[in-house]
Amino acid sequence: MLKPILITVGVVSLALGAIGIVLPILPTTPFLLLSAFCFARSSTRLHKYLLNHKVFGTYISNYYNHAMTPKHKARTLAVMWLGIIISALLIGATATWIVLPIIAVLVSIHIIRLKPQPEKSRVTWDHASTDPH
């Protein structure tokens, strides 16, 4: 009974995570982590697919390893700051011009402090384990 619900939530969160890759206002990693959680408890096939996916698996691997490639760091920071500036322009309120840059600076510091990960060192997981190590 719970399995179809977990698969549905996993698929919906995967779709939202995929949209978040190209839409700066929607977060990607939290939705992909939710998908991984749901699939780990409902479908070995979907879980393995997600963890080993060329694009989605990278986000999850980066999260578990607390690392990002320099290319991903640069792209993430550029898209985030672009989204912050566009949001502040569209909203236009003074508080927005204060709060959003503060958030962006703090997130930027976090991203910059992540350890560098070589381009091709993404973890691949087998279907028997959810542990990345």
Side-chain angles (χ1 to χ4, degrees):
M1 169 108 178
L2 188 59
K3 188 175 178 177
I5 294 170
L6 287 171
I7 290 174
T8 302
V9 171
V11 169
V12 169
S13 65
L14 178 60
L16 290 171
I19 293 168
I21 291 173
V22 294
L23 192 62
I25 61 170
L26 196 62
T28 301
T29 304
F31 286 118
L32 295 180
L33 292 173
L34 177 59
S35 293
F37 175 84
C38 291
F39 292 157
R41 281 146 185 80
S42 62
S43 171
T44 302
R45 183 178 58 85
L46 291 173
H47 189 243
K48 182 179 177 181
Y49 165 80
L50 180 62
L51 296 180
N52 292 311
H53 191 273
K54 180 181 176 183
V55 176
F56 304 138
T58 302
Y59 284 93
I60 296 168
S61 177
N62 288 346
Y63 175 81
Y64 280 123
N65 294 326
H66 305 288
M68 288 179 85
T69 64
K71 179 179 170 183
H72 282 128
K73 281 184 183 184
R75 184 173 52 212
T76 299
L77 290 170
V79 170
M80 180 188 66
W81 277 100
L82 180 66
I84 292 292
I85 292 168
I86 290 172
S87 297
L89 287 170
L90 291 174
I91 296 171
T94 304
T96 305
W97 282 100
I98 295 169
V99 173
L100 290 183
I102 289 172
I103 293 169
V105 166
L106 295 173
V107 172
S108 296
I109 290 169
H110 171 70
I111 290 171
I112 290 167
R113 292 184 63 191
L114 291 172
K115 62 185 174 188
Q117 177 177 339
E119 291 290 330
K120 297 292 180 184
S121 71
R122 190 171 68 81
V123 176
T124 55
W125 297 313
D126 64 17
H127 62 86
S129 171
T130 59
D131 184 19
H133 302 288

